[in-house]
Amino acid sequence: MALTPFVALVRKDLQIFASDRRAVIMAFVMPMAIGSFFGMLFSGQPSSDDVARIPVLLVDQDSSTISRSIVAGISTDKNLSAEAVPIDQARDRVRRGNATVAVVIPPGFGEAAGRAFFRGTDKPLLDFLYDPSHGMELAMVRGLMTQHVMEAVSREMFNGEQGRRTIDDALKEAGSIEMPEDRKKLLLQMLTAVQSFNRAVPQGSAAAPGSGGRAGSGISMPYEVHEEAVMARQNAGYNGFAHSFAGMGLQFMLFAAINLGIELLLERQLGLWKRLRGAPISKATLLGAKIASSTAISAMVLLVSFAFAMLVWHVRIEGSLAGFVGVALAASLMAGSYGLLVASLGKTPKTARGASTFATLLMVMLGGAWAPTFIFPRWLQRVTVIVPTRWAVDGLDAMTWRGLGFAAAVLPILMLLGFSALFAAIAVSRFRWEEE
């Protein structure tokens, strides 16, 4: 193989690549931006202020010393963002996706948990109302609740007024407890020792011995868990394919809109638009027709994707059908306007394709199509409201697996129509009829 021609060919290709500065920038910036985005999500945050805390609602129907101690502990937990609300509001907010989990402390929980702490029987239920799309967060909240409940119960049992009463009552009833004699003897010894400790230590001056405020080993878990997935319809189930097809449908409808914008640039290069200007057709008519055709194609991409999901993966529109259609059409109009925006801002098909692909990937990522927005840092969650795909994903989720009514689709529809008007206004004002 001749070396000189080989080197010359390689140099020629590199020079061609370097001659298009926008394409070079996209080639290097895109992987850096996407890599940084996912690295920021999954590698942890250096500052606790930036970590996305899990939103948890607290419903204290007990108002006992133990339940108030549990609420206080959760409220100061750095991993949770807790808020005390009534039960009806908690259920509604979880159903709408505004909170991940609601923890309901029922009446009599503190007293029953104190008795079960030593006996291991008749454990009260702690209710978890949760968003079924946040299974990982539910497991984390459940684990943190175990810590806070055990701390509160052990603190009260070893050094609280309720603990003193519970130990005294347990000693009186110990003879009637059904268990092997050897275990009953050990239980009596433990209760007597705790009673002596309570009498010797002033109330409120110390926590459980050797526990540092935490439950000691060998103590029974004082409660059981009841979990309820909160959906709009009682018999509806969570289908993760509904969210994934919403995200991917939006991504590829935007790509379809980009292709139409690129074709429009090619038509301008060929002089087609110059000839059309000579026809008795207004500029608004020509550009409006392009938006309409792009909107129709985008709607077909999204609706065909959902039709496949319904047939194969049993995705259902559990909420308002009118709301689903409204969000889908508004998102399609946004995509159609976006395609015209690509054509108006792009100088050449090549540069427009690279820049628009990068912008589309950013919108899809920030909109929650690839990774759900609840795992984003808090500052990024606030930023994503300026991204149209965020409203489209949330609206489609609300109308499919969340099963919400038409009212939940109104704001996403209005926001998507607003983005459509903005994109169209910029596109019409910047559109060039002739190739420079």
Side-chain angles (χ1 to χ4, degrees):
M1 181 177 64
L3 182 60
T4 301
F6 176 82
V7 173
L9 290 171
V10 171
R11 184 187 300 113
K12 181 263 299 180
D13 290 337
L14 293 177
Q15 288 175 343
I16 292 175
F17 172 74
S19 64
D20 191 339
R21 290 191 297 175
R22 293 191 179 184
V24 172
I25 292 174
M26 290 300 105
F28 292 109
V29 171
M30 189 178 299
M32 288 189 290
I34 296 176
S36 299
F37 175 79
F38 283 104
M40 180 177 57
L41 294 185
F42 301 120
S43 64
Q45 300 295 327
S47 171
S48 59
D49 294 336
D50 293 332
V51 177
R53 297 185 178 185
I54 301 175
V56 176
L57 304 179
L58 300 174
V59 182
D60 184 5
Q61 298 177 325
D62 187 26
S63 296
S64 65
T65 302
I66 287 179
S67 68
R68 290 195 296 269
S69 180
I70 294 171
V71 171
I74 295 174
S75 300
T76 58
D77 195 307
K78 65 179 181 180
N79 299 301
L80 304 175
S81 176
E83 179 183 356
V85 296
I87 180 64
D88 293 338
Q89 183 179 346
R91 185 178 293 274
D92 182 68
R93 288 176 60 178
V94 173
R95 180 171 64 92
R96 294 179 177 276
N98 297 327
T100 301
V101 182
V103 181
V104 182
I105 306 175
F109 177 85
E111 184 176 351
R115 292 194 302 266
F117 186 67
F118 294 111
R119 299 180 184 181
T121 58
D122 300 325
K123 299 180 180 181
L125 289 178
L126 194 63
D127 293 324
F128 286 76
L129 309 177
Y130 68 96
D131 184 333
S133 66
H134 294 198
M136 294 175 58
E137 287 69 30
L138 172 64
M140 183 174 179
V141 172
R142 193 192 306 119
L144 292 171
M145 281 300 302
T146 300
Q147 171 189 332
H148 291 296
V149 171
M150 292 296 287
E151 287 180 355
V153 174
S154 63
R155 186 183 302 114
E156 182 63 20
M157 288 302 99
F158 282 104
N159 196 39
E161 181 61 31
Q162 180 182 337
R164 298 172 190 268
R165 294 196 310 267
T166 301
I167 295 298
D168 293 341
D169 293 341
L171 282 171
K172 294 176 183 178
E173 300 172 3
S176 61
I177 298 177
E178 296 182 1
M179 65 172 56
E181 288 299 324
D182 56 340
R183 293 181 58 191
K184 184 183 295 187
K185 181 179 179 180
L186 292 174
L187 176 61
L188 287 170
Q189 292 176 352
M190 182 184 69
L191 293 175
T192 302
V194 174
Q195 185 185 57
S196 300
F197 174 80
N198 283 339
R199 291 172 177 173
V201 179
Q203 183 178 347
S205 62
S211 67
R214 300 175 184 268
S217 60
I219 300 299
S220 172
M221 180 72 68
Y223 71 97
E224 293 180 349
V225 171
H226 174 259
E227 297 174 356
E228 177 187 347
V230 180
M231 307 287 289
R233 282 177 27 194
Q234 191 65 29
N235 297 325
Y238 171 61
N239 190 332
F241 288 100
H243 176 80
S244 63
F245 272 86
M248 291 302 100
L250 287 167
Q251 175 174 321
F252 284 95
M253 69 188 286
L254 288 172
F255 281 151
I258 288 176
N259 287 333
L260 287 176
I262 300 302
E263 291 176 5
L264 197 153
L265 288 174
L266 291 172
E267 291 175 354
R268 190 174 66 192
Q269 278 187 337
L270 297 174
L272 178 61
W273 284 97
K274 187 175 182 180
R275 291 195 293 270
L276 286 174
R277 287 191 65 186
I281 304 175
S282 67
K283 180 178 180 180
T285 300
L286 287 172
L287 298 183
K290 282 296 180 180
I291 292 179
S293 59
S294 181
T295 299
I297 293 174
S298 299
M300 285 189 289
V301 171
L302 183 62
L303 295 177
V304 168
S305 297
F306 266 103
F308 175 85
M310 293 175 183
L311 291 173
V312 177
W313 302 113
H314 309 293
V315 171
R316 295 292 178 264
I317 300 174
E318 303 288 356
S320 168
L321 177 60
F324 175 82
V325 174
V327 173
L329 292 180
S332 301
L333 180 60
M334 180 274 295
S337 302
Y338 176 68
L340 185 62
L341 181 66
V342 170
S344 65
L345 298 181
K347 292 185 176 180
T348 66
K350 185 177 180 180
T351 56
R353 185 179 298 277
S356 60
T357 299
F358 178 63
T360 301
L361 292 177
L362 282 180
M363 286 199 296
V364 170
M365 288 188 302
L366 296 176
W370 289 0
T373 55
F374 62 79
I375 69 173
F376 292 1
R378 284 183 295 172
W379 67 267
L380 187 57
Q381 291 184 29
R382 292 190 288 266
V383 169
T384 56
V385 297
I386 66 173
V387 181
T389 47
R390 167 71 185 274
W391 295 100
V393 170
D394 288 350
L396 293 172
D397 279 352
M399 297 302 103
T400 52
W401 68 267
R402 289 197 185 278
L404 301 180
F406 183 80
V410 172
L411 182 58
I413 290 174
L414 293 177
M415 293 300 297
L416 289 168
L417 292 178
F419 280 109
S420 302
L422 176 64
F423 291 164
I426 296 174
V428 171
S429 64
R430 296 292 301 274
F431 189 81
R432 301 187 306 276
W433 290 90
E434 298 180 2
E435 183 69 17
E436 295 178 353

